[in-house]
Amino acid sequence: MKLKRSSRLVDMTHYLLTHPHELVSLTFFSERYGSAKSSISEDLVIIKESFETQGIGMLMTVPGASGGVKFLPFIKRETAEQFLSTLITKLSSKDRLLPGGYLYMTDILGDPLTVNEIGRLIASAFFHQSIDVIMTMETKGIPLAYATASQLNVPVIIVRRSSKVTEGSTVSINYVSGSSKRIQSMVLPRRGLQSGAKVLVIDDFMKAGGTMKGMENLINEFDAELVGCAVLVETKEVSPKLVNDYLSLLKLNEIDDSGEIAVGIGNYFNYFKEAHHE
Amino acid sequence: MKLKRSSRLVDMTHYLLTHPHELVSLTFFSERYGSAKSSISEDLVIIKESFETQGIGMLMTVPGASGGVKFLPFIKRETAEQFLSTLITKLSSKDRLLPGGYLYMTDILGDPLTVNEIGRLIASAFFHQSIDVIMTMETKGIPLAYATASQLNVPVIIVRRSSKVTEGSTVSINYVSGSSKRIQSMVLPRRGLQSGAKVLVIDDFMKAGGTMKGMENLINEFDAELVGCAVLVETKEVSPKLVNDYLSLLKLNEIDDSGEIAVGIGNYFNYFKEAHHE
């Protein structure tokens, strides 16, 4: 079917947004719309400019016969700052404080648009890196892992605390929880991770980093490679952290005697800057 | 900033896609782009036509002073059929068979684009219903629940097998697993569900329906209302099912002596038709 420019722009925008980090050839679009490649190229110039101006992401052009375009989701710094400051306001409410220095975040992690935006922030910090798979530990990190994976277009693998019949044979390791010092297990399906795969680990909350450290050991067990860690909230409570290199969106600084919660921005913008200067 | 039509179309498409089931006023767009409402109306006519022709969804116009437009994701029947038939081919491979009549689906549930498309299918079957929240049981249903929730723009609540310190006070019930006949528990944070809320339950796999039945009991415990159930795969093995009314995308019919797996389409298109005739 032959489409007009205006209709092509709408459909191409939808297509690129739902296929991030995927190389799409001009031929594909040209056949999809029955339009000349020169028209498609002009469309892409318009889309590229809009995506960049509006802070939707970048459109990378790969020249040559096997070339095409690739949409890389990328958030603007001010949008990220605004989003994190809204999140901080929400999290600073006193009634979120739970025993053990935890924060009640179930409602925030339950909102899909918020979770998708967190994914967009994390993906923006790692968009220039080669990542094959995202790993997370059940349960609360799962939505964040999928939201990030949707933007980077890579699969997710979920580490469990015990093996399940629905996952076939598994590999299990023991690790010491950094804050409770208890020995716990982590299980991953044997078919879950390829050797040599580049892994980004995502979780919701990090205290001492024992869970992260455990996942690092599990990644080594599969001869895969850890390329980054990202958490929504890190705490200041336990140090030194068991993991050195990680990204945090937020940092839980202090809970004073009156129960006042002090949440601030984590080290996110160091990573963001790095990504930007690549 | 004043934008041209072509740039407006790109940005409006992105905005509507990332804010489904949300009423957006013409004033909002008119101020965002510094354009007259009459121009915005013309843009929306183009977007509406493209969304419908390309099977992206519907654009509902709400007239009047407090009116605007609402994007409702809705898949085309032939796209849904094609997607399910691809999924069936993948699932029918012999090496997916696990002890106990389960299928290895971890890789499929790990692919975010596949999971998002499953969410779009489920959301299309329920798009005409009033839904306040999506409920799922940890762990495997979580990605499907979020993918659907992203399309319907409603929060997700996760039922756990045991209570966690990070969730505050909880409500717990016991239920009998339909296939194993064992007594198990389900736990939900007390703040997780409002009384009167309309709940859509989503899970990955249903054998006898014991887990679904348990979630129904939990919903009653909170004086909330179950408005629908959806699963990715139902099995033919155990009957009568403990739950009467549910949507299934796929049905695992038989595993014969040779280990051949017969997966077919579930009752999905009955629900799809209903939604279409509303």
Side-chain angles (χ1 to χ4, degrees), chain B residues 50-71:
Chain B
S50 289
F51 276 16
E52 285 168 10
T53 313
Q54 302 289 334
I56 297 169
M58 303 180 196
L59 213 59
M60 217 177 71
T61 312
V62 180
S66 63
V69 283
K70 209 187 251 191
F71 163 56

Side-chain angles (χ1 to χ4, degrees), chain B residues 110-166:
Chain B
D111 176 46
L113 300 201
T114 302
V115 166
N116 290 346
E117 194 68 359
I118 293 171
R120 211 157 76 90
L121 260 77
I122 299 176
S124 297
F126 290 100
F127 86 103
H128 61 303
Q129 287 198 25
S130 161
I131 291 166
D132 297 314
V133 62
I134 287 177
M135 177 185 271
T136 192
M137 179 95 186
E138 62 179 356
T139 303
K140 284 174 149 5
I142 298 175
L144 302 178
Y146 274 86
T148 310
S150 289
Q151 302 285 332
L152 293 174
N153 201 352
V154 295
V156 176
I157 47 172
I158 299 171
V159 179
R160 290 164 168 274
R161 292 176 205 284
S162 60
S163 77
K164 291 277 182 296
V165 62
T166 52

Side-chain angles (χ1 to χ4, degrees), chain A residues 74-87:
Chain A
F74 194 78
I75 203 166
K76 275 188 187 172
R77 192 186 169 103
E78 57 262 41
T79 312
E81 280 170 348
Q82 232 167 55
F83 174 76
L84 290 177
S85 106
T86 310
L87 213 50

Side-chain angles (χ1 to χ4, degrees), chain B residues 183-217:
Chain B
I183 290 183
Q184 304 187 297
S185 341
M186 275 186 185
V187 175
L188 196 64
R190 200 181 43 75
R191 318 189 207 185
L193 186 56
Q194 304 295 317
S195 80
K198 295 191 169 80
V199 187
L200 170 63
V201 174
I202 290 184
D203 214 348
D204 64 319
F205 204 81
M206 179 160 72
K207 295 190 85 173
T211 308
M212 278 288 177
K213 188 75 197 165
M215 285 198 263
E216 193 179 342
N217 293 344

Side-chain angles (χ1 to χ4, degrees), chain A residues 44-202:
Chain A
L44 289 169
V45 171
I46 296 169
I47 294 176
K48 183 183 165 70
E49 206 191 282
S50 290
F51 276 16
E52 285 169 10
T53 313
Q54 301 291 332
I56 296 169
M58 304 180 195
L59 214 59
M60 218 177 71
T61 311
V62 180
S66 62
V69 284
K70 209 187 250 191
F71 163 55
L72 310 177
F74 194 78
I75 203 166
K76 275 188 187 172
R77 192 186 169 103
E78 57 262 41
T79 312
E81 280 170 348
Q82 232 167 55
F83 174 76
L84 290 177
S85 106
T86 310
L87 213 50
I88 287 171
T89 309
K90 280 188 197 160
L91 282 172
S92 300
S93 140
K94 263 189 195 183
D95 60 356
R96 292 193 172 274
L97 194 60
L98 296 170
Y102 289 97
L103 278 186
Y104 183 81
M105 305 198 295
T106 305
D107 55 338
I108 286 168
L109 291 175
D111 176 45
L113 300 200
T114 301
V115 166
N116 290 346
E117 195 68 358
I118 294 171
R120 211 155 76 88
L121 261 77
I122 299 176
S124 297
F126 290 100
F127 86 102
H128 60 304
Q129 288 198 22
S130 162
I131 291 166
D132 297 315
V133 63
I134 287 177
M135 176 185 273
T136 191
M137 178 97 187
E138 62 179 356
T139 302
K140 284 175 152 355
I142 298 175
L144 301 179
Y146 274 86
T148 310
S150 289
Q151 302 285 334
L152 293 175
N153 202 352
V154 295
V156 175
I157 48 170
I158 299 171
V159 179
R160 289 163 169 275
R161 291 175 204 286
S162 60
S163 77
K164 290 278 181 297
V165 62
T166 53
E167 306 215 307
S169 61
T170 53
V171 173
S172 166
I173 64 154
N174 293 318
Y175 71 103
V176 180
S177 155
S179 34
S180 74
K181 306 282 180 211
R182 276 186 305 157
I183 291 182
Q184 303 188 297
S185 347
M186 275 187 184
V187 176
L188 197 63
R190 201 180 42 76
R191 316 190 208 186
L193 186 55
Q194 304 295 316
S195 81
K198 295 190 169 78
V199 188
L200 171 63
V201 174
I202 290 183

Side-chain angles (χ1 to χ4, degrees), chain A residues 219-264:
Chain A
I219 289 166
N220 293 336
E221 199 65 40
F222 278 85
D223 289 320
E225 185 193 343
L226 177 69
V227 295
C229 296
V231 296
L232 176 57
V233 181
E234 64 161 317
T235 66
K236 208 189 160 189
E237 282 181 273
V238 188
S239 72
K241 305 266 183 202
L242 293 172
V243 178
N244 287 319
D245 192 21
Y246 60 90
L247 172 157
S248 65
L249 268 65
L250 301 173
K251 187 165 188 171
L252 181 55
N253 288 306
E254 299 286 349
I255 297 165
D256 70 18
D257 294 343
S258 66
E260 220 56 64
I261 300 167
V263 184

